Amino acid sequence: SRMSSAGASLIFTPTIESMYPPSHSTYVDPRLGESTPEGRSRPGFFTGVSTVVVKLLNIVRPTRAYFGQKDAVQCSVVRRVVKDLNIPADVVVVPTVREPDGLAMSSRNAYLTDEGRSAAPVVYRSLVAGEAAWVEGLGGRGGGVPAGR
């Protein structure tokens, strides 16, 4: 009902087995993502992302595919893969959807420990507080946050 209230008339939810049967052996290897700090620290991550995105776009054949801006490198990699492989879909980057405590919604959150999940929103709150302090610093002094603040 939540999806239909958002305007969806059909939801595609393939199983892992249908996406990656035992005979599956082809992967999309984007060189762009692997050269980033995130790519170097997570070998194969962007290959997995690119492969599943290409598979889904080829199966569903949408005119637009929406990605949250929470992962800028991932969005860049997906845009490049779609362009390089001539996939006729527009990649649209949309604002990040967040949990009530500020944590960005992500399937990767399932991998967080209870302690990690409790601590994770601190990053977002710190960024918001830093932005507010910077904007406040611009208010009367015209130059960002003073050193040591």
Side-chain angles (χ1 to χ4, degrees):
S1 69
R2 192 168 143 197
M3 296 304 289
S4 62
S5 66
S9 57
L10 180 66
I11 300 171
F12 177 61
T13 56
T15 63
I16 292 172
E17 295 77 20
S18 67
M19 292 294 289
Y20 299 99
S23 61
H24 182 268
S25 64
T26 303
Y27 295 87
V28 176
D29 183 11
R31 302 296 172 164
L32 172 67
E34 303 303 327
S35 65
T36 66
E38 184 178 2
R40 285 191 299 273
S41 68
R42 300 169 75 190
F45 174 73
F46 290 112
T47 295
V49 168
S50 298
T51 300
V52 74
V53 167
V54 167
K55 288 178 72 87
L56 290 169
L57 293 176
N58 281 331
I59 293 167
V60 177
R61 299 194 184 270
T63 55
R64 287 179 299 281
Y66 297 87
F67 294 85
Q69 69 185 21
K70 70 176 174 54
D71 193 332
V73 175
Q74 182 171 301
C75 289
S76 294
V77 169
V78 168
R79 279 191 165 137
R80 172 57 73 171
V81 166
V82 166
K83 179 181 178 188
D84 287 353
L85 298 180
N86 301 312
I87 298 172
D90 292 326
V91 174
V92 181
V93 179
V94 297
T96 301
V97 177
R98 297 190 174 278
E99 300 286 354
D101 63 3
L103 181 64
M105 286 188 177
S106 172
S107 59
R108 290 179 265 174
N109 292 348
Y111 299 112
L112 294 171
T113 63
D114 288 344
E115 183 180 344
R117 175 61 184 83
S118 295
V122 172
V123 174
Y124 176 69
R125 288 196 300 267
S126 297
L127 290 170
V128 169
E131 178 186 38
W134 184 79
V135 168
E136 179 185 314
L138 288 177
R141 296 179 287 281
V145 178
R149 180 165 179 190

